Amino acid sequence: MAVEIRNDSSFPLVWATDSMKSGDWTDPWYPSRASPIAPGATAEWRAEGDLTLVPTSGTEGKVYYNVNGDPARQLYIYFNSPLVESPYGNTFHIRAPPGFEAAFSGGQGHHARLTIRFRETARRRVPNFTPSVNGFQFRNSWKPGLPAMTLGFLWNRLLDELGEEAASVLALARVDDGWLPITQARAGMCGGMTFGAMDYFAAGKLPPATTTAPDSETDPLFQFIRDRLLDSFDITGSGHRWLGYSSPHYPNGDEGVIQLTGLARGRSWVTYRDEWPRIRDDIDAGRLSPIGLIQTDSLDIGDNHQVLAYAYEQSGQEVKLWVYDNNYPGEDDLHLKFDITHTTGEVHVERLGPWRPGEPRIFCIFRTDGYNPHTPPDGRPLPPPTPAPVEMSPADTIRALGGIGVDFSVAETDLRDWLGNPQHTPYPAFAQALLSSGWKLKAPVFLDVIAWNYEHTPGVASPRRSEEVDREILKAAVLEGSNVRHGTHLTNFDELLAP
């Protein structure tokens, strides 16, 4: 087992301790020698099972790193590569302290390499996607009687799969697509709207501006969304999961004969270990991630839902996942929160943002498969792009900040280093947000104090881009910095601004 740690945070990782339950460290690849791991650096250590004439054990152990040497903030790494693989394969528990995230990939097999990426918490998102802009402007609510799925449609899709030659040999003829409705649109077409929104985004277009759903089965947009609804079920691929995860007999956690024998993994393992990393990897790569929400355990698969994940934020083991939900057009702050620490019990997902009361419980989350871009009808052109901010040197940034009443209390050489390092410090993001705000302060406030106040706001993420800076939290940070520096007790931010 080789473990590679990439430190993408702005703090060094300092080895604290390690232990082995089976096997041993591979000389000279000891964790203690892979320390400290500087910001931006990568380090590696290795472990192996015991060996006589043949292997007699796997390797299992733990390693702890202190973030910036602080034992109250630890990166914890547990690995287990057994001699005889379990139904879950090699297993890992990688945990970062609050304010940081640790993601891992690989690590399977008897000659495995596990890659861990450690970085500070930040909201990470698919660039240029906003639900209120890129989603449909109408709700997933449809006129009664519209046939969402018909036997004729399914029959003709089967003939498409067979091909004209096979259909001719078998004397199978096409029928009208609308023949014999079996479901109606009023039951919901969330999967079609999810895939459809992805199609418009992939095509570099916006969905039609209409705020009401199509009300005719001959409408090209209705037909398109209906077709994409079937595609979203991935019937010929992994669509069986909709039924399986909705079964009252499907297990929730890790305990039980079914899980131990490898016949199934519980809903918690599926959500936290299998599917969440796939969703995260999509977003990190700039891809939208279509996800299924299992909202029933009674086989009533019509109660389930499909949404589109476009942003996330992970702090320690807590994940917040922002979604475009076609039941809520125009809403940009719908997100789900869950903790990925344990897979022993049920999935616990909290809905945050402007959800309506009474939304159903979520039993499982998974990334849906089978998406391939299709050409959507009647798209609108994208608005012209916002001009990119002018690149400024750290010295020019300091001068520009001084012009709006923001100075500093740290050494200027340090501040220049921070302003020139947008990957590992939030200072370039704060500076750009302040310079683009249009504010000019009556009395100066220290930039480093503003940054301190902002980043010590409970639950806030350390930004790396100006668009990640929360304007209201930034105002509060400036207000607090001004009051402390000038001995005032102002409560209204606007009182700080010069006329």
Side-chain angles (χ1 to χ4, degrees):
M1 173 65 63
V3 177
E4 179 182 292
I5 303 171
R6 193 172 77 215
N7 183 9
D8 286 340
S9 79
S10 50
F11 300 96
L13 294 173
V14 181
W15 172 85
T17 186
D18 59 62
S19 62
M20 294 290 287
K21 187 173 181 180
S22 64
D24 209 343
W25 304 116
T26 303
D27 185 49
W29 302 86
Y30 298 101
S32 56
R33 296 184 182 178
S35 177
I37 308 174
T42 298
E44 179 180 329
W45 42 262
R46 300 179 185 179
E48 60 190 44
D50 296 319
L51 178 70
T52 54
L53 295 177
V54 294
T56 58
S57 78
T59 181
E60 179 181 4
K62 302 175 183 178
V63 181
Y64 296 83
Y65 285 92
N66 293 338
V67 180
N68 202 27
D70 182 358
R73 298 190 297 175
Q74 287 192 324
L75 170 63
Y76 166 73
I77 302 169
Y78 164 84
F79 61 94
N80 183 15
S81 177
L83 181 63
V84 179
E85 290 189 359
S86 74
Y88 293 88
N90 295 338
T91 53
F92 309 97
H93 301 293
I94 317 296
R95 298 172 187 165
F100 297 85
E101 64 172 272
F104 63 92
S105 60
Q108 296 302 319
H110 283 308
H111 298 278
R113 173 172 290 273
L114 180 74
T115 300
I116 300 171
R117 182 190 59 214
F118 181 80
R119 53 186 176 173
E120 284 144 301
T121 294
R123 188 178 303 184
R124 311 186 194 283
R125 60 182 301 138
V126 175
N128 304 317
F129 184 88
T130 305
S132 60
V133 176
N134 302 95
F136 289 98
Q137 302 302 298
F138 56 84
R139 186 183 171 196
N140 178 31
S141 179
W142 303 84
K143 176 183 175 182
L146 282 178
M149 200 61 62
T150 66
L151 197 58
F153 179 81
L154 294 175
W155 176 262
N156 291 336
R157 299 296 82 73
L158 173 63
L159 296 188
D160 291 341
E161 291 292 326
L162 288 173
E164 291 184 10
E165 185 175 344
S168 176
V169 170
L170 296 172
L172 301 177
R174 300 180 74 85
V175 298
D176 185 86
D177 261 4
W179 176 63
L180 196 57
I182 54 178
T183 66
Q184 293 188 355
R186 66 181 178 184
M189 300 178 70
C190 54
M193 294 182 73
T194 295
F195 272 30
M198 296 178 72
D199 289 332
Y200 280 106
F201 188 69
K205 297 180 179 180
L206 298 178
T210 176
T211 56
T212 57
D215 59 3
S216 168
E217 60 183 285
T218 62
D219 186 291
L221 182 58
F222 171 79
Q223 293 177 345
F224 177 74
I225 292 175
R226 179 198 61 192
D227 293 356
R228 297 304 270 150
L229 174 65
L230 179 64
D231 294 337
S232 74
F233 289 141
D234 194 25
I235 294 174
T236 59
S238 58
H240 57 85
R241 295 184 296 171
W242 288 106
L243 192 62
Y245 298 154
S246 298
S247 169
H249 304 294
Y250 199 92
N252 284 312
D254 299 334
E255 297 84 2
V257 175
I258 291 178
Q259 301 94 303
L260 293 175
T261 56
L263 295 177
R265 295 177 175 179
R267 292 187 182 109
S268 290
W269 187 283
V270 168
T271 299
Y272 302 150
R273 296 287 188 269
D274 292 338
E275 300 301 318
W276 156 240
R278 299 179 66 208
I279 298 166
R280 179 200 65 216
D281 289 348
D282 274 346
I283 296 172
D284 281 346
R287 298 188 299 264
L288 297 170
S289 193
I291 62 175
L293 305 180
I294 299 298
Q295 300 181 154
T296 179
D297 65 348
S298 61
L299 287 177
D300 189 356
I301 62 172
D303 287 341
N304 296 322
H305 193 36
Q306 296 192 57
V307 297
L308 190 57
Y310 67 94
Y312 78 88
E313 180 181 300
Q314 182 174 346
S315 176
Q317 298 299 96
E318 182 183 273
V319 175
K320 293 180 181 178
L321 184 63
W322 277 261
V323 299
Y324 159 56
D325 186 334
N326 41 68
N327 288 339
Y328 293 83
E331 295 291 356
D332 292 336
D333 196 32
L334 295 169
H335 54 290
L336 309 171
K337 185 173 79 170
F338 47 92
D339 190 294
I340 61 174
T341 303
H342 301 295
T343 60
T344 53
E346 298 176 344
V347 171
H348 295 282
V349 180
E350 183 180 355
R351 298 179 189 263
L352 299 175
W355 305 89
R356 289 182 288 271
E359 285 286 354
R361 170 186 168 186
I362 296 173
F363 290 85
C364 185
I365 298 174
F366 67 96
R367 182 194 185 279
T368 58
D369 297 328
Y371 175 78
N372 288 300
H374 285 211
T375 302
D378 301 326
R380 293 178 291 147
L382 292 171
T386 303
V390 177
E391 290 286 339
M392 299 175 65
S393 69
D396 289 339
T397 300
I398 291 171
R399 282 193 290 271
L401 287 169
I404 65 169
V406 177
D407 55 7
F408 51 93
S409 64
V410 295
E412 183 171 344
T413 53
D414 290 340
L415 184 60
R416 289 192 184 200
D417 286 343
W418 299 340
L419 288 170
N421 189 357
Q423 183 178 1
H424 295 300
T425 80
Y427 278 84
F430 287 135
Q432 187 178 333
L434 289 164
L435 290 172
S436 63
S437 67
W439 303 332
K440 186 171 183 179
L441 303 176
K442 294 177 182 176
V445 181
F446 296 132
L447 176 62
D448 44 300
V449 172
I450 295 172
W452 171 271
N453 293 340
Y454 186 103
E455 296 213 289
H456 283 75
T457 302
V460 76
S462 179
R464 291 297 177 270
R465 297 180 300 172
S466 62
E467 57 266 33
E468 295 173 354
V469 177
D470 187 298
R471 188 180 179 90
E472 295 306 312
I473 297 176
L474 184 62
K475 285 182 178 180
V478 175
L479 182 61
E480 181 183 357
S482 180
N483 281 332
V484 171
R485 181 172 178 179
H486 301 293
T488 53
H489 301 281
L490 302 178
T491 58
N492 186 343
F493 175 80
D494 290 340
E495 294 180 85
L496 302 181
L497 301 180

